[in-house]
Amino acid sequence: MYEGPVIDAFFHLGWTNNGPDAPTDRETWMNDPMRSRVMRTFGQAGMESRTSEESIGDTIGLMEDAGVELAVLQAGLFYSGSADDVEAAVAKHHHVVSTTDKFTHIGTILPPRQGPASYWDLLENPRLIAAHKDRFDIRGIHIMPSPWGTPPNDKWFYPLYAKCVELDLCVFSYVGMPGPLWPTYPNYPLHLDDVCIAFPELRVVAHHIGDPWVEMMTHLAAKHRNLYICTSAWSPRRYPSELVKFMAGRWHGQAGADKVIFGSDHPLLHMTKTVRDARNLDLPEAVVEKFMYSNIKALLAR
C-alpha cells in the first residue's frame, strides 16, 4: 500500500449553509433541477448527506489525517454570468489559498454569452484570465463543455487556449457522461484530439475519466504528450477496468502510470474514503505514487 503524500487535483470546499455565493452550497445544488440528480446519485440529498457540512478548518484537519499535502480548488460557473461573477468565484478561492499552504486553485471563464456559436469578443476571456493570473495567481482554468453546450474543440475556445499556452496555464476540461441533466455530446473525449493537435504545448487535464469512452480516453492520453486523465468523481473501487489496465501498462509505448492523476471531487465523494481506497489499489506502489502525487506535482510546478 502506498503511504506517501497525496495531492488531490480536483477538490471543492465542504458543504456549507452560507447561501448561493458560498464556494460549495448544498442547498443551491439541491434546488437546481439539473444538478440535483447528482446529489441523489452520490447520496448527498435528503435530510442528511453522506458528507457532512464542514468549515475550512475541518477540511484541513481531514486533509492532514488522510495525508493530503495539497488540494487543487476548482472554480466553475455552470451557467451564464458576468465577468464580476467569474471574479467573485476565483477571488473566494484565492482568499482561502492566501491563508494556508494546503490549497492552490484553478480559475474559470465566462461561458458563451448567448450559448453555442456565440462569437462576440473572443478576447474577453483571454484578458480575464491574464488579469486573474496576475491578481489571484491561478494555476490554470476549468472549462465545462456540457453545461455550456459547447465542445472544447469549438473555435470559441481557441483564443483562450492560445493565451493559456502564453501564460503557462493548464486547462481542466470536463469529459464523459455528465451526472447532471446536461447534454452529453459536448463532453465526448474525442473533441480533445483536435485541441491537442492544434495546441501541442497546452497542458490539458480531462477530469471525470471520460466514461463510457474510457479506452478512447486512455488512447488519447497516450497519444498526446500533454494530455492527462483525472479520476475525479469516481470511487477508486469503481475505476473502469480499462483505466486500471492503462495505469498498470502501456499503449503505443506510453506508460499509463505517467498520464493519470488522482482527484476526489470532495465533497461529492468524501476525500477520506476516496484517498484510502486509492492508496489500496491493486497496482505497484511506484504507479500509485505517480498517480496520487508526482504527476500532478510536476504539472503544477511548470
Side-chain angles (χ1 to χ4, degrees):
M1 182 182 79
Y2 173 63
E3 296 181 348
V6 174
I7 296 176
D8 191 332
F10 201 90
F11 195 90
H12 306 282
L13 299 172
W15 299 126
T16 67
N17 250 338
N18 297 329
D21 291 332
T24 314
D25 178 64
R26 182 169 172 262
E27 185 175 348
T28 301
W29 277 70
M30 285 299 304
N31 290 336
D32 182 334
M34 291 175 281
R35 283 186 285 169
S36 62
R37 178 183 180 275
V38 171
M39 300 296 279
R40 295 190 298 273
T41 301
F42 284 86
Q44 305 291 354
M47 295 299 293
E48 294 186 8
S49 64
R50 185 173 294 174
T51 306
S52 60
E53 293 175 7
E54 61 195 44
S55 67
I56 292 174
D58 293 334
T59 300
I60 291 174
L62 291 172
M63 292 170 64
E64 291 174 344
D65 290 344
V68 176
E69 178 182 289
L70 183 73
V72 183
L73 300 175
Q74 300 278 345
L77 199 64
F78 296 109
Y79 309 122
S80 62
S82 66
D84 288 342
D85 294 326
V86 177
E87 180 166 321
V90 175
K92 285 183 174 68
H93 285 166
H94 176 67
H95 174 73
V96 174
V97 169
S98 66
T99 62
T100 173
D101 63 359
K102 299 297 288 184
F103 301 101
T104 189
H105 69 136
I106 302 294
T108 192
I109 61 170
L110 278 167
R113 286 187 178 275
Q114 296 165 326
S118 169
Y119 296 111
W120 166 252
D121 193 2
L122 290 186
L123 295 182
E124 181 175 26
N125 276 315
R127 290 193 298 266
L128 195 64
I129 65 168
H132 288 180
K133 181 177 183 183
D134 183 55
R135 293 178 56 199
F136 303 127
D137 194 28
I138 58 172
R139 309 301 296 276
I141 59 156
H142 179 203
I143 65 171
M144 289 180 284
S146 177
W148 300 349
T150 307
N153 61 346
D154 191 286
K155 63 185 179 182
W156 184 86
F157 287 103
Y158 277 36
L160 176 76
Y161 297 150
K163 179 59 72 171
C164 285
V165 172
E166 177 187 327
L167 298 176
D168 200 19
L169 296 173
C170 62
V171 173
F172 278 73
S173 181
Y174 186 14
V175 293
M177 183 76 68
L181 297 175
W182 296 329
T184 300
Y185 174 75
N187 274 12
Y188 186 42
L190 193 58
H191 297 314
L192 293 177
D193 192 44
D194 293 340
V195 175
C196 294
I197 288 171
F199 299 92
E201 298 172 70
L202 181 67
R203 290 169 293 141
V204 180
V205 180
H207 68 83
H208 288 26
I209 293 180
D211 181 72
W213 305 285
V214 179
E215 188 169 41
M216 175 192 292
M217 192 64 245
T218 63
H219 291 182
L220 287 170
K223 175 182 178 180
H224 295 292
R225 180 171 57 91
N226 285 317
L227 177 60
Y228 300 84
I229 302 168
C230 178
T231 61
S232 50
W234 279 78
S235 164
R237 294 187 177 189
R238 297 181 181 273
Y239 286 167
S241 59
E242 301 97 324
L243 179 73
V244 177
K245 180 180 177 181
F246 179 58
M247 293 169 71
R250 312 175 76 85
W251 192 81
H252 281 203
Q254 171 63 58
D258 297 328
K259 302 308 296 278
V260 186
I261 290 168
F262 171 75
S264 67
D265 206 4
H266 182 86
L268 280 175
L269 281 179
H270 198 286
M271 170 190 56
T272 301
K273 185 177 187 304
T274 309
V275 169
R276 182 179 66 242
D277 290 347
R279 289 185 183 277
N280 283 284
L281 285 169
D282 186 18
L283 290 167
E285 185 175 345
V287 171
V288 180
E289 189 277 337
K290 288 183 176 183
F291 165 56
M292 300 192 77
Y293 189 71
S294 293
N295 289 344
I296 184 63
K297 185 175 179 67
L299 190 147
L300 291 173
R302 286 179 54 180

